[in-house]
Amino acid sequence: MKPIVLIAAMDAGRAIGRGNDIPWHIPGEQKVFRELTMGNALIIGRMTYLSLPRPLPGRYCIVLSRSFVSQTAGVLLATSLNEALSLASELPGSEITVGGGQEIYKLFLPLANRIHLTVLDATFGGDRFFPLLPEDEFSIAASERVEGPLPYTRFIYERRSRLPS
Ligand SMILES: NC(=O)c1ccc[n+]([C@@H]2O[C@H](COP(=O)([O-])OP(=O)(O)OC[C@H]3O[C@@H](n4cnc5c(N)ncnc54)[C@H](OP(=O)(O)O)[C@@H]3O)[C@@H](O)[C@H]2O)c1
């Protein structure tokens, strides 16, 4: 099984979204998301998919939904976690990336091998949140401080022990 990699940005209060949008814009942050997901399967929930202005080029987008119907070229639909994983494992790319939102992060967290988590210094408030990481399951493998008008720290968490395959 390819590594499962969650990618998220949250504020100081763990908020990731508000009104089905992200309540901040961090210059440069989209570039990192793009690099991490490019050429890989990208699993997202229906609400996150609907929040995007357009499908993301270069990614094999899998939208999780129990009911959604879409005929958008390049977008695959999955009705369960297992179906999403099965589709993703057959697509090109070295990793299975997971791009939110709240429900999908929560669903995939128990399977995640790595988490790229951007943590803003500021609190924006929101109605969707990133789940708490069990400290005994994940450790910080790397971190990078980024100063600027919206300072933040980028963390890479790795699962402490491999999940049984
Ligand atoms: N800051 C960040 O890094 C970041 C990244 C991504 C998104 N976001 C934000 O997160 C928010 C959206 O999060 P959300 O929790 O509301 O929605 P979501 O996780 O994007 O999508 C939820 C939908 O996924 C489907 N789903 C969930 N579990 C499923 C399962 N086990 N099997 C099949 N389908 C399943 C359901 O669709 P159906 O109802 O169709 O069945 C559900 O309504 C937005 O505000 C967005 O901007 C933030």
Side-chain angles (χ1 to χ4, degrees):
M1 172 67 93
K2 299 177 198 176
I4 296 175
V5 181
L6 271 55
I7 305 159
M10 68 177 192
D11 78 359
R14 304 194 79 80
I16 61 164
R18 188 174 60 214
N20 209 33
D21 201 355
I22 297 177
W24 56 78
H25 173 71
I26 312 174
E29 182 61 15
Q30 293 297 349
K31 185 168 167 272
V32 174
F33 179 80
R34 191 172 187 279
E35 285 168 3
L36 290 169
T37 55
M38 191 55 71
N40 286 317
L42 172 64
I43 299 174
I44 54 175
R46 175 178 61 89
M47 296 306 290
T48 295
Y49 175 71
L50 292 176
S51 77
L52 299 174
R54 67 195 76 82
L56 301 170
R59 271 57 61 97
Y60 303 93
C61 190
I62 299 171
V63 178
L64 256 172
S65 167
R66 297 179 185 90
S67 58
F68 187 51
V69 178
S70 165
Q71 304 208 330
T72 306
V75 174
L76 299 167
L77 295 175
T79 57
S80 69
L81 176 148
N82 283 341
E83 191 185 351
L85 286 180
S86 163
L87 280 172
S89 60
E90 286 170 16
L91 289 165
S94 57
E95 296 180 337
I96 296 172
T97 60
V98 177
Q102 172 184 286
E103 287 189 29
I104 281 2
Y105 290 136
K106 193 173 167 202
L107 188 66
F108 280 88
L109 182 61
L111 300 175
N113 299 92
R114 188 178 315 122
I115 301 166
H116 289 263
L117 185 59
T118 292
V119 183
L120 279 67
D121 289 10
T123 303
F124 285 78
D127 53 21
R128 293 292 183 277
F129 298 87
F130 194 76
L132 285 172
L133 300 182
E135 281 182 22
D136 54 338
E137 291 182 28
F138 292 95
S139 58
I140 296 171
S143 67
E144 183 191 359
R145 179 77 188 151
V146 182
E147 302 296 346
L150 255 187
Y152 60 92
T153 307
R154 189 179 290 140
F155 293 96
I156 302 176
Y157 288 88
E158 294 277 356
R159 183 170 285 282
R160 287 184 191 273
S161 56
R162 293 234 161 267
L163 288 168
S165 53

